[in-house]
Amino acid sequence: NSTHMSSAAVWPLEQVSDKEASLSTALRTDAKKRILTRLGCIFGSYTLLVVAIAVAVSFIPGMAGVIMPVCIAFLGVLPFCIVCVLLQSRFDLEYNATPINELPTYKSEQLLNECKAQMHSEFDVFDQVMEGYCGFASINSVLSAIYKGRFYLQYPTRPRPLTLQQMKAILTENVTSDQSVDERFPDVRISAIDIIIAEPDQFSLVQFETMMKQELHSTTVYSDQNGKQWQIRHCFVANFSRAPLLFCNLSPMKRYLRWIVSGHFSPILSFCYDNEQQMHILIGDVNHKHGNWLAPSNRLYEAMTCRQPSSER
């Protein structure tokens, strides 16, 4: 998922064709088969277990009255087991790769220099200070880049997680709908704030990479109706799960816990290609402990398609 702030134009999104179907689609199709197989095993095992208990108890004198409660108790655990299987199956999509911080490209000096060489200017990445402020830190990082360090929003008193929709609402209320901001900074206009939900059947890896190539380093200039020239700049904030990127080799329970709390926002700064022509995305992590790092575009795309349980983040 990403929040896309454009200083002029909006990139048109098209439906994903069959030929452009991403890696995610294939992974999810295969995962459905594994889920059905596991659910079938659970139902079959539980049926045999309950029948075996009922038969065994029926041969014990005076225990006939407890057959039904025992069966109900065992069946009561069934939904919990089903949920566990579904959650574990969810991990099959993201946890079959090397953590990106163990890849030689993660903080490759050569690739970092190539990324920085393409950037319009230095990008001042704000520190989130503490967990829960990554969304606001990302907002301020982008605003600082757009307004050249002259404008940013005050952090709320209490940290809280954000959805993409909430992030857009904050920017709309405090920036684009605030006339005083335009009056203070007549040389800057934010013309659009777009939310792009990375659903694999609507927004493919190919489209993501194309958008990066066409927009991230765009230097297009256009003239408005008054003849004033404006340079178009596109800024991106990525909303992704760190679990499929960094926590790929943990135990199932640890992976599940990481999945719950691993939602993160950070601005996308640049991109480059390695010797094998694999695109790498430069992330300006608002957690200063990590700094700037690189992720293969397909790995970041997978992380953006990973949603936290019971939320739209």
Side-chain angles (χ1 to χ4, degrees), residues 65 82 103 114 139 147 151 203 226 250 259 303:
I82 292 175
L103 297 176
E114 290 181 15
I139 288 174
Y147 290 94
F151 177 66
F203 184 67
N226 298 320
L250 302 179
W259 176 39

Side-chain angles (χ1 to χ4, degrees), residues 293-306:
W293 45 267
L294 290 154
S297 56
N298 60 330
R299 295 289 298 274
L300 181 61
Y301 174 79
E302 287 298 319
M304 291 191 298
T305 65
C306 180

Side-chain angles (χ1 to χ4, degrees), residues 72-223:
I72 292 175
F74 270 89
L75 289 174
V77 185
L78 182 59
F80 173 77
C81 293
I82 292 175
V83 170
C84 289
V85 166
L86 292 176
L87 291 176
Q88 184 59 40
S89 298
R90 179 69 175 83
F91 296 138
D92 289 345
L93 305 181
E94 292 89 12
Y95 295 100
N96 290 308
T98 304
I100 62 167
N101 58 344
E102 296 180 11
L103 297 176
T105 55
Y106 179 61
K107 291 201 174 185
S108 165
E109 185 175 350
Q110 178 184 349
L111 294 180
L112 287 173
N113 290 335
E114 290 181 15
C115 285
K116 291 177 181 178
Q118 298 188 72
M119 295 171 61
H120 295 291
S121 59
E122 288 294 326
F123 204 107
D124 186 16
V125 178
F126 275 57
D127 182 14
Q128 68 178 12
V129 182
M130 61 184 297
E131 293 292 335
Y133 280 127
C134 61
F136 284 93
S138 298
I139 288 174
N140 280 334
S141 298
V142 170
L143 290 178
S144 178
I146 292 174
Y147 290 94
K148 299 180 180 179
R150 298 173 294 169
F151 177 66
Y152 57 90
L153 301 180
Q154 184 176 356
Y155 283 15
T157 21
R158 294 182 179 179
R160 60 187 176 91
L162 292 176
T163 63
L164 292 168
Q165 291 79 3
Q166 290 170 331
M167 178 177 280
K168 179 177 180 178
I170 291 170
L171 287 165
T172 301
E173 179 182 354
N174 296 281
V175 183
T176 58
S177 297
D178 189 343
Q179 189 64 33
S180 64
V181 175
D182 290 343
E183 294 173 354
R184 289 166 57 194
F185 309 104
D187 59 327
V188 177
R189 289 291 183 274
I190 297 180
S191 65
I193 303 173
D194 303 321
I195 296 175
I196 302 171
I197 304 298
E199 293 289 358
D201 58 342
Q202 298 177 7
F203 184 67
S204 70
L205 173 61
V206 173
Q207 284 182 301
F208 172 60
E209 292 180 338
T210 302
M211 185 168 64
M212 294 292 100
K213 289 186 287 187
Q214 291 184 352
E215 294 198 347
L216 198 52
H217 301 310
S218 172
T219 55
T220 307
V221 176
Y222 87 105
S223 300

